Amino acid sequence: MKHLHAAPGTGDGTRPLRRKTGSGWKNIYAPLAGIAASVLLILGFAQHPAAALASLFTDTFTSAYYFGNMLNTAAFFMIAGTGAALAIQGGNMNLGGEGQVYIGGFAGCTVLNALHAPAPLVFCAALVLACASGAAMALVSALLRELRGARVLLTSFLVSAAAIPLIDGLITSSRHSADTNMLALPYIAQQYRLPQILPPSPLSPSIFLAVAICIAAWHVLYRTAAGRRIRLWGAAPQFARYCGYPAAENTCGTAAASGALHALTGFLAVCGTFYTCHKGFYTNMGWNALNVALIAASDPLAVIPTSVMLAWIFTSASRVSLTQGFSFDIAGIVQGVILFSIAVPAAARTLAAQTQKGREAAR
């Protein structure tokens, strides 16, 4: 199994060790804890617990809408989760996923509404600008890391937290936002909307792109020299520095790729699900992507089943909340349980490692 340890020289205290044969999901207990939380909430608050439990485990697969919605959610988790995994593999942790998803959707929607040119050209321009905007946001943290020694873990979160209200303000101030009660940009034209492949669900061909991105990222990380350098910076940064590998290239490259993939998630959400950029559409996408990456031990191939598993848990929990008359959203609680189940053991391991180092230094 791969573990998170304090990594000397990374500044974030997170790094994946080298891949070992037979390594599996790192935090498989986290989604299991989420399922357990769902079951307990249903037993405690559902009007008909037996029927609700049956619905939790089966009904998502018997409804075209909910099954398609689950796969659509999984596609977002795969793309953004791969972005989070790339950052972790390179020795940093990107906590700015929410803002990067948001800016990708905002930039893409703005271009699709503003440009008047052949549809393929406009769509490609919007896609490129969306990914570039997410990469630029992530690069701010990378540059602060290289120039000032600031932790990517902290600065990525702060940059995202600052960008979100700024984008909210841009949406509100848009001259066309009055048509949507100042809560969203205008809807994109029909020609820019991704086709539905499982109506009435929002599932689009982005699911195939998501799987392809996971496979491509795995190939880069584990079958190329560049990928080996990235993993070396994550596993043994001092040795990578001794080998002469440039730190700035690794930090900026993995940050830009991570930000671009998060922004691509936002762009696809606009073009395939919401057809507009509205305030709050990004909610929990970044954190759930980080959950996926941590559960999958930053392995892009493991990101695929992990994304499907978490998407099933959240979709099923939301369905039960709706059909059983819950006064609160189960899915939100389950998301918190999963993140808590990952964060507490990781923090305990880091604290134990630091304590052990302190004892060794005192001898």
Side-chain angles (χ1 to χ4, degrees):
M1 295 290 288
K2 293 182 284 186
H3 300 280
L4 287 179
H5 296 282
T10 64
D12 282 4
T14 58
R15 63 185 179 97
L17 294 180
R18 63 175 59 86
R19 183 187 179 97
K20 295 182 180 179
T21 303
S23 63
W25 290 334
K26 177 180 176 181
N27 294 306
I28 187 60
Y29 54 82
L32 296 179
I35 295 174
S38 300
V39 171
L40 291 176
L41 289 169
I42 288 172
L43 292 176
F45 297 96
Q47 297 174 351
H48 306 285
L53 283 176
S55 175
L56 177 70
F57 289 102
T58 62
D59 284 4
T60 298
F61 302 100
T62 60
S63 166
Y65 173 78
Y66 282 101
F67 183 70
N69 192 56
M70 179 194 75
L71 292 181
N72 190 59
T73 302
F76 297 152
F77 289 176
M78 288 179 204
I79 299 172
T82 300
L86 287 175
I88 296 173
Q89 288 273 16
N92 295 295
M93 186 172 286
N94 178 12
L95 298 188
E98 303 273 284
Q100 292 155 16
V101 170
Y102 199 9
I103 198 172
F106 174 80
C109 189
T110 299
V111 172
L112 293 176
N113 282 317
L115 294 186
H116 302 285
L121 182 62
V122 174
F123 189 87
C124 291
L127 174 61
V128 171
L129 183 61
C131 293
S133 64
M137 181 181 289
L139 278 172
V140 173
S141 299
L143 292 175
L144 288 173
R145 166 65 181 161
E146 293 303 316
L147 297 177
R148 307 296 298 177
R151 295 185 178 185
V152 174
L153 179 80
L154 177 62
T155 58
S156 60
F157 175 78
L158 294 177
V159 171
S160 173
I164 287 173
L166 176 61
I167 298 172
D168 286 342
L170 292 175
I171 291 176
T172 300
S173 62
S174 171
R175 68 177 184 273
H176 299 294
S177 65
D179 298 332
T180 55
N181 296 319
M182 295 187 292
L183 296 176
L185 294 177
Y187 284 94
I188 62 175
Q190 186 68 39
Q191 59 191 343
Y192 301 129
R193 301 181 183 184
L194 299 178
Q196 295 178 339
I197 60 177
L198 188 61
S201 76
L203 181 63
S204 70
S206 61
I207 183 67
F208 305 114
L209 175 63
V211 173
I213 287 174
C214 291
I215 295 173
W218 179 88
H219 178 79
V220 170
L221 285 174
Y222 294 103
R223 291 293 183 271
T224 67
R228 285 191 291 272
R229 287 195 295 270
I230 291 173
R231 290 186 293 118
L232 184 60
W233 271 109
Q238 291 179 341
F239 185 69
R241 191 173 290 107
Y242 175 79
C243 292
Y245 298 148
E249 179 181 305
N250 172 75
T251 304
C252 294
T254 54
S258 180
L261 288 174
H262 279 89
L264 175 61
T265 302
F267 178 78
L268 293 175
V270 166
C271 293
T273 302
F274 303 112
Y275 308 129
T276 183
C277 177
H278 65 79
K279 296 179 181 180
F281 85 86
Y282 60 87
T283 303
N284 291 327
M285 284 190 184
W287 294 113
N288 286 329
L290 185 60
N291 283 339
V292 166
L294 292 173
I295 293 169
S298 306
D299 185 331
L301 283 186
V303 162
I304 298 174
T306 304
S307 297
V308 174
M309 178 185 294
L310 289 191
W312 165 68
I313 293 173
F314 298 150
T315 302
S316 298
S318 295
R319 178 189 172 98
V320 170
S321 295
L322 182 64
T323 58
Q324 292 296 315
F326 279 77
S327 60
F328 54 90
D329 182 18
I330 297 179
I333 297 176
V334 172
Q335 289 170 357
V337 169
I338 291 175
L339 184 59
F340 188 79
S341 299
I342 296 172
V344 171
R349 288 193 296 268
T350 300
L351 181 60
Q354 291 176 346
T355 302
Q356 181 65 26
K357 285 185 177 180
R359 291 175 179 174
E360 292 176 355
R363 290 176 181 175

